[in-house]
Amino acid sequence: MRILFHEIKKIFTWRILLLLVIANAVLFFLRIEFHISHFPNGRPSLDSYRIGIEMISKYGNDMDEEDRRDFKKTYEVQVQEANQYLQSNKEFAEAGVGTYEDFLNIDWENKEQAALRDKIMFEEQVDIFWELPERRRLMDFHETKEARVGTYKNGANPRQEARFDEMISAGHYQVYPEVVMENFKEFIFNVAIAILVSVVLIISPVFMKDRSRQLLDLQYTTRKGRELYKTKLAAGLISTLGVITALLIVYFGMYALNNTEMYFNVPIHMFIDSFSWYDPTLLQYMALTVAAIYMLGLVYALLAMSFSSMMPNYIALIGIQVPFVIAMITYGLTYLVTRIINIEVPQWVVPTSYSGMVAVSVLFIIFMWKREKHRDIVV
Amino acid sequence: MIVVKNVSKYYGNFCALNNITLELHNGVYGLLAPNGAGKTTLIKMLATLITPSQGEIVYDGKNIIHMDDEFRALLGYLPQQFGYYNNYSPKQYLLYLAALKGMGRKDSIRIIKELLEKVALSEVGNKKMKKFSGGMIQRVGIAQALLNNPKVLILDEPTAGLDPKERARFRNLLSELARDRLVIVSTHIVSDVESIANEVIMIKHQEVLYKDSVENICNTLAGHVYETTIDYGHLDAFRNRYTVLLEKQESGEMNIRFIHKGAAAEGWLSVTPSLEDVFLYEYRDEIRMEV
């Protein structure tokens, strides 16, 4: 235990911690901060977010036919309110815009009408005129929900088709606004990048450091001997879990500022978003992406430690890992994190990919351990 | 007792050591050879860092590789070059190595205090090692080799970087330690082992040349080592005829110590051979002179 603690302490030097903070600060401001400070990103996203909360509080985590009728009724009431607003406004009345329908059909060539529209939309930002189009959009989705599933079903393979049938028979249709779901996907994708880079930065020196400093001669001639390799491996994995957990706490702490908790218990099939193989709630989906990040972090930690055992110097160590990290960020993360249960990705792809990656990284490190156990420590 | 049985080491086609057989008991053994002769390879095999290509090394009848941690628990090792963490103090560094050696924390703290006194580093025990001189680092290395009170102590070039006073202190320490353990000191500095080694092992052409007491090894040149004084102008001719061991200018003439395995000429003074004479003679490869 004392040795394990020593090895963990050796990983977290102040230089590495500083590097970790700098790398995360850069990645945060380049890729993550936007999805927190700009959520909801302007209008009508803000209206979509607000209407979503109203729908959840009114209708719960599911919407039946009666709820949809009520939603339509609310829209109609708001149209009346808009009509009253326009009729009570002298400028609109003089410009010939007396109803919400007139407002929607404003002649863009008519400078006076266009100026009035811009005034209430952008200068005064009257909520009702932003909310109504969003409500109308949602109603369009409600009205065409069966047809949309049908369209997707037509081009589906037998497994996808079976899944669509399952959703139709359960009455699972996409009716809630997608703004929170989309924002979380963007957020978690970029958090995954930051965590992957952090893990590789922290874990890469684990074996290289002592080897390049010629410490192996001393370490391997002690009672602990080459078994130390396994302790360093354990220290690397524990540190990886520590770094991932710490970063997730920090980033989710920031994500909490988005105030999306009202959406957490809504099943993801309710959001107007891509279709999924399974029916988790948003919170369960978040947990799934977090588990995926832990898994990817551990796989990349094992790979980093394997490379750390065999590469001759730090430049080679960084060089060999750059393509792996870039390939994962460019091609892998979308499928393995954000689209982890997306129906467009064959159902077997994600579990097979994770199993394959875990198997390869574990076999690789076992091979490196066997090699280390018997190799001559010459230099 | 350690027995090295017909041990050879090959790296591809290159033979680093060939059919080495040695029997080592308690006491100090000086492993003497010039750089590149295979000393470090033998030392690393004794320390289980390198596996022999042929043959085996046994301790009390058991193969040291098979003994695994049981053998390493008896071992103290100072490599020729060893690493340390710049930001660690000697105490932190030694505590880390003590943990690797399986020592309890309380015992480690007590032993580290004693060892730092022994190697005259008590006052800097809490200072960061990055500020240490080469000699101080070497003394930390010596201390770590002694941490577990080893039965087998292997020291590869232990006096590198030490000043004359530290060397003398180190030699005394070794003599004291060798009373109840096996100490192997690998060096190319003859004076490091001449006065303290019970036996000297010399390696040449990847094989053991001598394994004997200093006296017996010196006797191999008995009657062949001379000293004389010649004119400076005759020096080149003298060098071409004899194996010159030492040249010293004195009052415009040259005092020469040399080897000749034939009849002595007039004016030559026969002297008692030293271990350094044997070393210089046996490894004279680059000295092209007729003997």
Side-chain angles (χ1 to χ4, degrees), chain A residues 265-279:
Chain A
N265 292 324
V266 177
I268 63 166
H269 61 249
M270 294 290 290
F271 295 112
I272 300 166
D273 197 59
S274 47
F275 295 97
S276 302
W277 287 110
Y278 311 101
D279 298 316

Side-chain angles (χ1 to χ4, degrees), chain A residues 2 7 10 222 376 378, chain B residues 9 44 72 85 96 103:
Chain A
R2 206 147 52 97
E7 294 303 329
K10 274 161 57 185
T222 61
D376 288 341
V378 181
Chain B
K9 182 66 191 178
K44 285 198 169 193
R72 291 193 306 273
Y85 305 109
Y96 170 62
M103 299 164 63

Side-chain angles (χ1 to χ4, degrees), chain B residues 192-244:
Chain B
D192 277 354
V193 290
E194 192 167 26
S195 59
I196 55 164
N198 300 76
E199 283 197 342
V200 168
I201 301 159
M202 288 173 79
I203 296 174
K204 188 177 180 182
H205 297 142
Q206 292 79 46
E207 292 179 357
V208 173
L209 177 68
Y210 294 120
K211 179 186 172 284
D212 216 329
S213 64
V214 173
E215 191 186 354
N216 288 344
I217 291 174
C218 291
N219 281 341
T220 59
L221 284 181
H224 303 308
V225 183
Y226 298 95
E227 282 185 2
T228 190
T229 305
I230 60 168
D231 285 337
Y232 189 80
H234 296 143
L235 184 59
D236 283 343
F238 199 90
R239 276 180 186 156
N240 287 333
R241 287 195 65 189
Y242 307 108
T243 304
V244 174

Side-chain angles (χ1 to χ4, degrees), chain A residues 161-172 277 279:
Chain A
E161 206 175 318
R163 170 63 185 151
F164 281 121
D165 285 340
E166 189 187 331
M167 287 190 281
I168 292 166
S169 62
H172 291 166
W277 287 110
D279 298 316

